[in-house]
Structures are given as C-alpha cells and as structure tokens.
Amino acid sequence: MHILLTGAAGFIGRHVLAQLLDRGHEVRALDSLRPDVHRSGAAWTTPRGVEAWVGDMRDAAFVAKAVDGVDAVIHLAAKVGLGVDIGDMPDYASSNDVGTAELLAAMARADVSRLTLASSMVVYGEGFGRCPEHGSVRPGPRLESALAAGDFEPPCPICARPLAVGLVDEETSFDPRNAYATSKAAQEFYAANWARATGGSAAMMRYHNVYGPGMPRDTPYAGVASIFTSALRRGEAPRVFEDGRQRRDFVHVRDVAAATVRACERPVEGVRAYNVGSGTPRTVGDMAHALARALDGPAPIVTGQYRLGDVRHITADSSRLRRELGWTPAVGFADGMTELAALSGEEPARPRTALA
Ligand SMILES: NC(=O)c1ccc[n+]([C@@H]2O[C@H](COP(=O)([O-])OP(=O)(O)OC[C@H]3O[C@@H](n4cnc5c(N)ncnc54)[C@H](O)[C@@H]3O)[C@@H](O)[C@H]2O)c1
Ligand SMILES: [Zn+2]
C-alpha cells in the first residue's frame, strides 16, 4: 500500500516506518521536525526510497498534497508532554487538534478512507479500581495527608475500603486530566466524526507506556526509566517514590509499531479503539530492579517520597487487540529492560533526527 505516516521522525514513528518498509509498503514520511523534539539544524535522513515531507499538519495546502494519492494514513504527529502547564494549552490544541482536523478534512476531499490514529492511555485519567461492595469505581485524587502517612493506595470514593486492580478496557469513559490528554481525546472525537460522516475507517490505538530504543527522556511515559538509568550510570541506586508498587503497563516500541502497522493493514469497520499494552502490569519498583540488574548497579531504594497528582495505577486490558487483530507482544519485560539499559549509555538525550 501507499501510506502517509505523520510524525515519522519521532520515537514511535521511526519504528513504524522501519516496519512498514520491511513489509513492502511505499511510505510518504511526514514530520515538522519540531525544534523542541529535534536538534535544530539536524538533517532528517530517511531510508532510501522514502519520500520525506517536512512540514506542519496545520498547513492545509501542505497536508492536502501529502494525502493526495495515498491509500491510508497513520497519524502519529503530535506535541507530546506532561500537559500540565496551562500556558501550553494553545500549543496542544493547535498542534494536535487543528493538525488532526486539517488532516481529516484533506482525507475527506481526497477520498482517503483509512486512518490509524495514535491515541493514548491518558484519555482514561486515573483508570479505576474494584471495591468489594461498590464494584468498579473511579478513585479521586489522593489526599496529601494520606500520602504523608505512607497510605498510597487510593481508597473507594464511597466507602474508603481498599480497592483491587481494575484493568481499563476500551469502553472505560474518558477523563482527560491535562491539556495533552484532552488534546488526545479530542483527536479521537474528530476522527470518529470524520469516520461517520465519510464512511471511513478509524482505528484509535491507545498506547500505554511505550519504551525502547530512541525513547525521549522527558515525556510522561519515559521519564522514570531514564531517571533510573542515569542514576545507575553514576553508580547510584535508583530512588523509587512511594512504596514502589505503582502499577504501569510498559510496552515495547517494536510491539507498538507492529500493532499500528497491523491496524493499518486490516482496516476496522467504522470506528474501533484498541488499548495497546503488554497485558502484564509491572510496578515502578520492578522496573528499577530490572534496570539495576541489567546495569549491575546498586539495588533500588524505596524513598516514600511522593508527588501530588501522580496517578497510582494505570493498567490496560489489551485483549481486544489480541483477539481482533491477532497481535501479540514479542518483547518480554526483562529483555526489553536489558536492551534499554544497554542503550542508555550510548544515546544522547534527543537522538531523534537521524533515521537511516
Ligand atoms: N511515547 C509514548 O509512550 C506514547 C504513549 C501514548 C501515545 N503516544 C502518541 O504516539 C504518537 C507518537 O509519539 P512519540 O512518543 O513518537 O513522540 P515524538 O515527540 O517522538 O514524535 C512525534 C513527532 O511528531 C512531530 N510533530 C509534532 N507536531 C507536529 C505537527 N503539527 N506537524 C507535523 N509533525 C509534528 C514531531 O516533530 C515528532 O517528530 C503521539 O501521537 C503520541 O501522543 C505516545
Ligand atoms: Zn466501596
């Protein structure tokens, strides 16, 4: 197929591009090379035979040309980050939502009917837990007094009993808690509007915590792994906040890329969302131990420190992706962490722009 891949110079985009080429697709690789993501002035070297399109999704004329003649679009381009600075709201809304709206309008005009969209687990907010009496409940923000007392598990908001793990599935309602999350949720809504109006197919890929070669160091997803490896490389023990039992779903970037390519190759009927997680929740403490082992460093120290606003657990039920698209993750946690630890000594903070 002839595929337009946006955000192709980014962390996930480079892996998706490599896999599309391996599978024989013809790729038009688009990226604005945002200066806050890519070293300024660095050239973008795409693999042989790939058309590199440097420009911004908000530029209607550019996007109209970029979609012309393609069979499908994989849309990864976005401003990624913590989304907590209110001053950044216009940039999230513009880069992510105006950019997506321009893309969808151009696809409708050019009659391109297949979209695979990079969404995120952040659309779900805090996820949920299970109360023995009240079933699935959404825990509210944790109180500072509880955190200070070392009481890290969020209680049932109705009866304050401890909660068991609840895996978020794709029907869990949205609860975006910051500007980045809101912009990802809005991308999904725009894409759903487009699909219904045009009869197009839109797969929303809700990635969980993606890690692996080329990962940036300052996103909400990556931060902690790079903080741990930096400490270990200085010969220091990684310092784990709270009690280290915060659960996440760490999924390897090659597995995420494979899921994305698969969704693009097998278009869904109408609109369909997929959680993209490894399916095996791990704790932040597990990650610290795995990296310490891989780098032969000191054992992690659990500090009991906390940050107000941190989410305690976010874990996905990714069974729909396995069931409907036949995807299974290939990279295990221990191997993935060993690879990450080995690469942490080599990669500069933003090794992004060279693609060759
Ligand atoms: N990394 C993760 O763990 C993770 C998790 C969930 C969702 N996602 C989503 O996956 C996608 C890719 O993320 P990533 O981690 O590779 O981020 P990234 O920052 O490495 O890549 C994004 C790329 O998009 C480009 N870009 C941004 N705005 C653009 C615009 N308006 N026009 C053209 N290009 C633009 C940037 O220059 C960058 O190269 C994003 O949509 C992100 O929201 C990532
Ligand atoms: Zn309860």
Side-chain angles (χ1 to χ4, degrees):
M1 275 195 298
H2 195 176
I3 296 166
L4 171 66
L5 172 64
T6 77
F11 163 48
I12 299 171
R14 289 184 301 145
H15 290 272
V16 172
L17 175 58
Q19 294 191 17
L20 287 173
L21 296 176
D22 279 352
R23 297 181 59 78
H25 296 295
E26 197 181 333
V27 185
R28 196 171 280 178
L30 180 155
D31 205 294
S32 63
L33 306 178
R34 277 184 73 101
D36 56 354
V37 177
H38 300 275
R39 281 184 296 265
S40 62
W44 181 24
T45 327
T46 48
R48 188 188 294 273
V50 172
E51 298 170 52
W53 288 55
V54 177
D56 199 291
M57 298 303 297
R58 289 165 286 188
D59 176 345
F62 171 74
V63 172
K65 280 191 220 121
V67 298
D68 188 39
V70 300
D71 303 303
V73 177
I74 299 178
H75 182 36
L76 306 184
K79 173 181 167 64
V80 182
L82 292 167
V84 288
D85 184 342
I86 296 301
D88 287 344
M89 273 186 170
D91 196 7
Y92 281 107
S94 167
S95 301
N96 300 357
D97 299 330
V98 175
T100 300
E102 290 293 358
L103 171 68
L104 296 167
M107 288 173 72
R109 280 192 303 267
D111 217 8
V112 179
S113 62
R114 293 164 69 161
L115 174 71
T116 307
L117 173 73
S119 184
S120 170
M121 56 145 182
V122 296
V123 298
Y124 300 123
E126 299 269 347
F128 64 86
R130 301 195 74 82
C131 169
E133 190 181 338
H134 299 104
S136 278
V137 288
R138 283 204 119 120
R142 294 178 292 169
L143 299 177
E144 173 139 37
S145 53
L147 295 170
D151 222 352
F152 299 120
E153 289 296 337
C156 170
I158 306 163
C159 68
R161 281 201 187 82
L163 298 174
V165 194
L167 292 181
V168 280
D169 68 17
E170 290 83 353
E171 305 313 319
T172 305
S173 58
F174 283 8
D175 185 14
R177 299 271 175 113
N178 59 54
Y180 168 63
T182 299
S183 74
K184 298 309 290 180
Q187 284 186 303
E188 285 205 25
F189 288 126
Y190 280 117
N193 297 157
W194 162 85
R196 288 191 192 104
T198 63
S201 144
M204 323 294 195
M205 310 304 284
R206 296 181 187 151
Y207 303 151
H208 279 59
N209 291 67
V210 188
Y211 73 97
M215 86 195 282
R217 298 193 177 178
D218 48 5
T219 69
Y221 312 110
V224 75
S226 63
I227 292 167
F228 292 163
T229 47
S230 305
L232 286 159
R233 291 212 165 263
R234 291 193 303 269
E236 295 164 15
R239 297 172 63 80
V240 183
F241 282 10
E242 302 189 9
D243 56 3
R245 298 205 190 101
Q246 311 84 302
R247 282 184 299 272
R248 296 288 183 274
D249 189 323
F250 300 105
V251 58
H252 196 278
V253 66
R254 288 194 293 275
D255 288 329
V256 168
T260 306
V261 170
R262 201 169 270 246
C264 173
E265 288 175 343
R266 300 184 192 183
V268 296
E269 198 57 47
V271 178
R272 196 80 173 141
Y274 294 100
N275 287 340
V276 185
S278 70
T280 314
R282 303 282 174 171
T283 67
V284 175
D286 290 339
M287 180 189 240
H289 277 284
L291 291 170
R293 262 195 306 277
L295 288 168
D296 208 12
I301 297 170
V302 173
T303 66
Q305 279 167 281
Y306 56 85
R307 287 180 307 194
L308 267 188
D310 272 359
V311 173
R312 176 68 175 171
H313 306 297
I314 270 277
T315 50
D317 176 351
S318 302
S319 54
R320 179 185 284 181
L321 182 59
R322 290 156 199 258
R323 222 174 32 248
E324 296 184 7
L325 294 181
W327 168 90
T328 43
V331 185
F333 181 72
D335 289 346
M337 288 295 147
T338 304
E339 179 194 39
L340 193 64
L343 289 170
S344 67
E346 293 168 12
E347 296 202 339
R350 283 284 180 181
R352 322 283 226 86
T353 311
L355 261 185

